Amino acid sequence: MDNKKERLLHNYHHPRNKGLVDSPDFSSGQFNPSCGDMVHINGTLANSDKVSTIGFTAEGCVLTQASASLLTELVKEKSIADVLALTKDDILVLLGIEIGPNRMRCALLPLHALQNALIKRDDK
Ligand code: FES
């Protein structure tokens, strides 16, 4: 197995930031209609702008859980604007493996949950 796949599996078996945080400033669940799996991400902000703490729960495949683990590490201390600017390509670079169209939703579910949580917060 190559290093990139090993890193993904490591994030699946030893996820970072697993578990939701108390008293969150942002929170959202995202559902994958093609398989029924779900990712929930929440967190707190520092100075109303930077991600301070972040956590997730995921019922899903290896790819989704590893993506959530890597993404939640990536966005700590980032501004809301920077997180909202993240794209599919950023996630693909983060995951570091080829992903076919059928698995793209799995890979992007955590990003969509996180961005939705931050957008919903701005709507308040
Ligand atoms: Fe359900 Fe990947 S198969 S999230």
Side-chain angles (χ1 to χ4, degrees), residues 1 6 13-15 19 27 31 35 37 44 46 50 60 66 69 76 79-80 86 89 94 97 99-100 111 120:
M1 197 183 315
E6 270 177 31
H13 289 299
H14 307 283
S27 177
F31 173 67
C35 64
D37 290 334
T44 60
K50 272 192 180 169
S69 173
K76 277 186 194 164
S79 70
I80 291 175
L86 290 173
D89 289 344
L94 188 64
I97 59 165
I99 295 174
L111 178 65
K120 266 190 355 191

Side-chain angles (χ1 to χ4, degrees), residues 32 35-38 59-64 103 105-107 109:
N32 184 346
C35 64
D37 290 334
M38 175 97 183
E59 310 260 330
C61 59
V62 170
L63 193 51
T64 292
R103 305 302 306 282
R105 268 196 181 142
C106 305
L109 206 56

Side-chain angles (χ1 to χ4, degrees), residues 7 9 17 20 23 29 34 36-37 49 51-52 59-60 69 83 85 87 90 96 99 103 105 107 110 114-115:
R7 190 175 67 107
L9 276 176
N17 310 307
L20 297 174
S23 306
S34 60
D37 290 334
D49 180 54
V51 174
S52 176
E59 310 260 330
S69 173
V83 176
T87 65
D90 295 315
I99 295 174
R103 305 302 306 282
R105 268 196 181 142
L114 174 58
Q115 290 180 331

Side-chain angles (χ1 to χ4, degrees), residues 66-79:
S67 179
S69 173
L70 289 162
L71 176 68
T72 51
E73 275 299 285
L74 176 75
V75 300
K76 277 186 194 164
E77 308 295 324
K78 283 208 186 305
S79 70

